[in-house]
Amino acid sequence: MVKFKRNQLWHEISGRTYHLIVNASDEDVWRKRWLIKGTQLSSSFYVNDYIYKPLDQPKRYDAIYTAQLQPFKRHELAKAIKRLMVVSYGGDLPNFCPELAHADYNKEFIPRPELAKKINQAYAGLCLSAQEGAMYASMEYLLCGIPVVSTPSKGGRDQFFNDENSIITPAQADAVAQAVQHWQKSPPNPEKIREQALKHLNGVRLGLCTYVAQLIEQEGGGKKDPQDLMEKYFAAPGISSRFVRQEDLATTALDRFRL
């Protein structure tokens, strides 16, 4: 939290108000202790539910793992899965993780619509890191209607998990493979998996819009209906098409954000 407190002070000196949105409840405890303005909302609200959805695709893989080729993703825990697809930003998977020399992988970046097809070709999606943020891939799996096999984790991804859409298993390769086999033998209804995830996700999105509406009113921008903000920012083609990075704000027309 030291970094975020430093950011808050820097913004205050520059005449701005800094708000920190955290993924997990334990992170929110520390945010409050450090007296940083903000709230707790999963950043999974960024995932585009118009792209990630159940599609009519043949099941080619026992499991898929969407994860950058970094050690904290613990790819080796998937070594006992026979038909495995690993999707990263692109790279040499066998060189990075020799235990997965048998797996399919992408050498080049895969566009999101193509990734949605790949996810639908698997019986389950893997989440194998011990700690990270919301892990967008976990929500992408659920919106595509496939269940999750996850290790215990910190960071907030498990807030969308339940007994019908996920198995949390020990961080052992054989346990991960057994959980995948469970979903192969008893695949859940894809539409139900998506419906549950989208309902929870839209609750988070409404929380964000309520928070933003309050800020607008506090800053003298008038009263805004959070439902109107939901329609503006989360309607098709999805919020990711409206996302602006901080470094691009100076060249972005603010009129596009006004109701």
Side-chain angles (χ1 to χ4, degrees):
M1 282 292 166
V2 175
K3 177 182 70 175
F4 299 117
K5 188 64 178 182
R6 187 165 54 242
N7 288 342
Q8 179 192 38
L9 296 174
W10 181 81
H11 281 283
E12 287 180 353
I13 292 172
S14 303
R16 295 183 295 268
T17 302
Y18 180 78
H19 294 260
L20 177 64
I21 297 178
V22 297
N23 282 302
S25 58
D26 59 337
E27 295 171 341
D28 204 37
V29 171
W30 283 103
R31 177 192 65 79
K32 293 175 180 176
R33 287 181 181 177
W34 283 80
L35 302 178
I36 302 174
K37 290 184 177 180
T39 189
Q40 186 238 321
L41 293 166
S42 173
S43 60
S44 289
F45 62 69
Y46 286 121
V47 178
N48 193 322
D49 53 287
Y50 299 96
I51 293 176
Y52 296 102
K53 56 187 178 182
L55 300 170
D56 186 15
Q57 292 288 312
K59 293 296 185 184
R60 298 179 54 193
Y61 307 109
D62 300 333
I64 185 170
Y65 191 21
T66 301
Q68 56 183 305
L69 302 184
Q70 295 291 337
F72 77 93
K73 289 290 190 176
R74 304 195 296 186
H75 289 74
E76 67 278 3
L77 293 179
K79 65 184 180 181
I81 299 172
K82 295 181 180 179
R83 297 189 303 164
L84 176 66
M85 177 67 194
V86 176
V87 177
S88 67
Y89 292 115
D92 187 351
L93 176 66
N95 184 59
F96 170 76
C97 183
E99 295 98 326
L100 299 189
H102 65 287
D104 288 348
Y105 67 99
N106 61 307
K107 295 182 180 179
E108 305 293 337
F109 178 78
I110 295 180
R112 287 180 296 170
E114 185 62 28
L115 175 56
K117 292 181 181 178
K118 291 290 185 185
I119 292 174
N120 274 274
Q121 291 171 3
Y123 283 99
L126 303 179
C127 302
L128 303 179
S129 59
Q131 182 172 347
E132 63 175 299
M135 189 181 179
Y136 295 165
S138 63
M139 179 54 64
E140 292 166 0
Y141 301 151
L142 296 177
L143 289 176
C144 284
I146 71 168
V148 171
V149 172
S150 174
T151 55
S153 64
K154 292 184 178 181
R157 71 179 181 238
D158 58 347
Q159 65 184 279
F160 296 100
F161 297 166
N162 58 51
D163 292 341
E164 295 182 354
N165 68 16
S166 61
I167 296 175
I168 298 179
T169 186
Q172 302 166 359
D174 57 345
V176 171
Q178 288 173 13
V180 169
Q181 290 174 7
H182 169 82
W183 292 125
Q184 285 180 266
K185 296 176 181 177
S186 304
N189 183 305
E191 293 296 340
K192 185 176 181 181
I193 294 291
R194 174 184 168 82
E195 181 182 353
Q196 290 178 342
L198 192 55
K199 181 178 179 180
H200 194 165
L201 185 62
N202 280 333
V204 175
R205 290 171 170 173
L206 183 59
L208 173 71
C209 291
T210 300
Y211 190 81
V212 170
Q214 292 171 349
L215 291 180
I216 292 173
E217 186 173 0
Q218 291 170 10
E219 296 297 324
K223 194 171 183 63
K224 301 295 182 182
D225 185 343
Q227 289 289 352
D228 290 341
L229 293 179
M230 281 279 289
E231 179 62 28
K232 181 173 180 64
Y233 296 123
F234 293 102
I239 191 174
S240 54
S241 64
R242 303 173 175 86
F243 183 75
V244 178
R245 297 185 182 277
Q246 182 175 338
E247 57 265 30
D248 298 327
L249 281 174
T251 58
T252 300
L254 295 181
D255 285 343
R256 62 181 289 206
F257 297 102
R258 294 195 175 98
L259 287 173

